[in-house]
Amino acid sequence: MESWANLDFHLDLSGPGGLRQRLTASLREAVRSARLPPGTRLPASRSLAADLGIARNTVAEAYAELVAEGWLTARQGSGTVVAQRVAPPAPVRRRAVADDVRFDLTVSTPDVTEFPRAEWIRSTRRALMAAPADAFGPGDPQGRVELRTALAEYLARARGVRADPERIVVCSGFGGGVQMFDRLLAPPVVVEEYGLGFHRSLWTSTVPLAVDDHGANTEQLPDDLRACVLTPAHQFPLGGPLHPRRRASAVEWARRVGGLVLEDDYDGEFRYDRQPVGAVQGLDPEHVVYLGTSSKALSPALRIAWMVLPDRFVDPVLALKTGREQHISMLDQLTLADFLESGAYDSHVRRMRLKYQRRRDRLVEAVSPYVEISGIAAGMHAVLDTPHETAVVRKARERGVEVSPLSWFRHPLSTDDRTGVVVSFGAPAFPRALDTFASVLAACC
């Protein structure tokens, strides 16, 4: 039997009627809704009266009324107990989005089963012990200086970003950063013709820029617009890096029109054919915003992203952030700072890079007899070039495997008509789903 004698529970004493009526109604509702389940022993009337600051007789009378109604039982020596005949409501059963999907190979998350728990706990412990008192206050909207300092060092070393801590702003996920720039920049914004629809939806309006094997065709950037969003290290989802000539062209365009390039470096650390392709931001820090995130390297659950800003945008961006940064745990920021400084982040990335590369090789071996595969020099997904896009996606779903049609990523205003299937080899389900998916390709292609 569960006792609430020494525990707090909520009773709403507002509403019409006298105090005893309101207390009786609140207790009755707590029992009816199963917040107080059958068998729960209630506090003694003296104890509850003291907690509520009301007369003991008021509580005793409310208990007596509910006993008379059958909601409660009262026995000598056993106290007042919620009656067993009061059954709890049936649990709500929600229908899954895809009940028949056993293996999700859509491009959404990294293999979160590989999150470095032990190393993260060690960093958390060190960060907590070393944290200054102000870390437990409202926090700096720009982000903890410890994290910004660690990021500046890491990004310069690993991604070729030119940054100092005062140019870095920590934000709640990639979307949080983009939404601030949507308020700062005049629409429309130029985006690559293939990309996440969710990312396009963050902008008030967008126009597409053609993409080919050399990445976005930045030589076609229009002079009457002032902002563009690129994925230079690994075009999403087609996979190619932005050609050096086009990198230079994007920067030249931004200088010429007084515009801004927003560089989405979502998985730049995971390159397999050579050293990671450096950031475009290093070419001109005053005309490129660098956007990075912990989502691919660690976990999207952390909700930690960062922007390296041109000097002229630091104050306007901070003006849009609230005085209390409520979406990013200060402890998580301090932990990530320690994780970076201790070398644990680099070690985790190297380990996952090798794991993803092995998975990529398994995917190539399994599907190459049936389709051409591209976009595999980096990242955690591949594009399977096939004219049977619809059939493959449908048949895979019938077999319990969810993959993404390439057409889902196409800008509504794009005139491109290529077809294919996008498959995540980073997804946790990949090792178990590969044979089934290969059999789907054998049947369809």
Side-chain angles (χ1 to χ4, degrees):
M1 180 182 298
E2 185 176 6
S3 173
W4 289 75
N6 298 311
L7 301 179
D8 292 334
F9 64 97
H10 174 70
L11 290 175
D12 183 3
L13 300 185
S14 63
L19 180 57
R20 183 183 61 78
Q21 291 174 300
R22 298 199 301 272
L23 175 60
T24 303
S26 185
L27 285 167
R28 185 186 295 115
E29 178 56 29
V31 175
R32 179 188 289 120
S33 65
R35 287 197 298 114
L36 295 178
T40 299
R41 187 171 62 197
L42 300 184
S45 58
R46 185 189 303 275
S47 175
L48 184 58
D51 287 345
L52 297 177
I54 61 178
R56 178 185 178 187
N57 284 345
T58 302
V59 177
E61 291 170 1
Y63 278 5
E65 182 174 339
L66 293 172
V67 168
E69 293 177 358
W71 296 103
L72 306 177
T73 61
R75 296 179 182 175
Q76 187 69 28
S78 298
T80 304
V81 179
V82 176
Q84 290 290 342
R85 73 178 188 84
V86 181
V92 176
R93 298 189 181 276
R94 300 187 183 276
R95 180 183 177 275
V97 175
D99 292 332
D100 55 344
V101 172
R102 293 180 295 132
F103 307 119
D104 185 356
L105 301 188
T106 55
V107 285
S108 53
T109 64
D111 190 344
V112 294
T113 65
E114 296 287 343
F115 185 82
R117 300 178 189 223
E119 294 85 353
W120 189 259
I121 289 172
R122 283 193 284 270
S123 284
T124 299
R125 184 179 295 113
R126 287 192 297 264
L128 186 60
M129 296 302 295
D134 66 355
F136 303 97
D140 184 347
Q142 190 167 355
R144 290 296 307 182
V145 66
E146 297 90 340
L147 177 55
R148 291 186 281 114
T149 300
L151 283 170
E153 187 279 329
Y154 172 78
L155 294 173
R157 170 172 53 81
R159 304 298 302 126
V161 173
R162 294 162 61 186
D164 62 68
E166 294 308 309
R167 285 178 177 244
I168 296 176
V169 173
V170 180
C171 51
S172 177
F174 175 84
V178 167
Q179 288 179 320
M180 281 185 276
F181 272 96
D182 185 55
R183 297 168 64 183
L184 291 172
L185 304 175
V189 172
V190 181
V191 297
E192 296 164 334
E193 66 179 338
Y194 283 89
L196 279 176
F198 165 69
H199 285 179
R200 289 194 294 267
S201 72
L202 297 171
W203 299 98
T204 301
S205 64
T206 61
V207 296
L209 182 65
V211 175
D212 57 27
D213 293 341
H214 298 296
N217 192 346
T218 57
E219 294 163 348
Q220 295 180 1
L221 283 168
D223 283 356
D224 59 339
L225 297 182
R226 297 293 180 270
C228 74
V229 185
L230 303 175
T231 53
H234 186 221
Q235 201 286 323
F236 184 86
L238 299 179
L242 189 62
H243 191 279
R245 183 181 67 252
R246 292 184 176 178
R247 287 172 161 246
S249 179
V251 172
E252 291 167 2
W253 167 83
R255 292 169 179 164
R256 183 173 66 252
V257 303
L260 196 65
V261 174
L262 290 98
E263 178 177 14
D264 178 6
D265 193 32
Y266 67 100
D267 66 357
E269 296 103 334
F270 296 101
R271 190 155 203 93
Y272 313 119
D273 58 346
R274 58 181 181 274
Q275 289 296 314
V277 175
V280 170
Q281 189 267 2
L283 300 177
D284 191 338
E286 291 305 321
H287 288 92
V288 181
V289 173
Y290 177 89
L291 298 162
T293 174
S294 62
S295 293
K296 296 298 184 183
L298 287 171
S299 165
L302 292 177
R303 301 294 302 163
I304 299 179
W306 45 85
M307 301 181 286
V308 183
L309 303 173
D311 182 66
R312 68 186 186 279
F313 278 101
V314 174
D315 288 340
V317 165
L318 290 177
L320 294 177
K321 289 172 69 71
T322 60
R324 292 174 176 262
E325 182 56 67
Q326 299 182 11
H327 301 292
I328 311 173
S329 161
M330 291 299 160
L331 180 55
D332 283 347
Q333 291 189 53
L334 291 171
T335 299
L336 180 56
D338 181 273
F339 202 73
L340 285 160
E341 291 174 344
S342 69
Y345 188 92
D346 289 80
S347 297
H348 178 69
V349 167
R350 285 195 299 271
R351 183 172 67 85
M352 295 309 298
R353 186 187 298 134
L354 180 58
K355 182 178 287 288
Y356 291 143
Q357 183 172 2
R358 289 170 176 167
R359 289 187 179 186
R360 179 205 64 171
D361 294 344
R362 287 185 59 196
L363 177 65
V364 172
E365 181 181 2
V367 307
S368 56
Y370 315 110
V371 294
E372 295 292 327
I373 186 168
S374 60
I376 58 173
M380 307 170 192
H381 71 272
V383 178
L384 311 186
D385 304 315
T386 172
H388 308 294
E389 174 185 293
T390 302
V392 170
V393 172
R394 182 180 65 248
K395 186 67 174 177
R397 185 175 293 119
E398 291 171 359
R399 298 288 302 277
V401 180
E402 188 77 11
V403 294
S404 302
L406 181 60
S407 58
W408 279 6
F409 303 98
R410 188 181 304 131
H411 194 287
L413 300 180
S414 171
T415 59
D416 190 84
D417 60 357
R418 75 190 82 181
T419 59
V421 177
V422 184
V423 179
S424 171
F425 53 81
F430 172 79
R432 293 174 290 126
L434 181 57
D435 289 343
T436 301
F437 181 65
S439 68
V440 169
L441 293 178
C444 294
C445 303

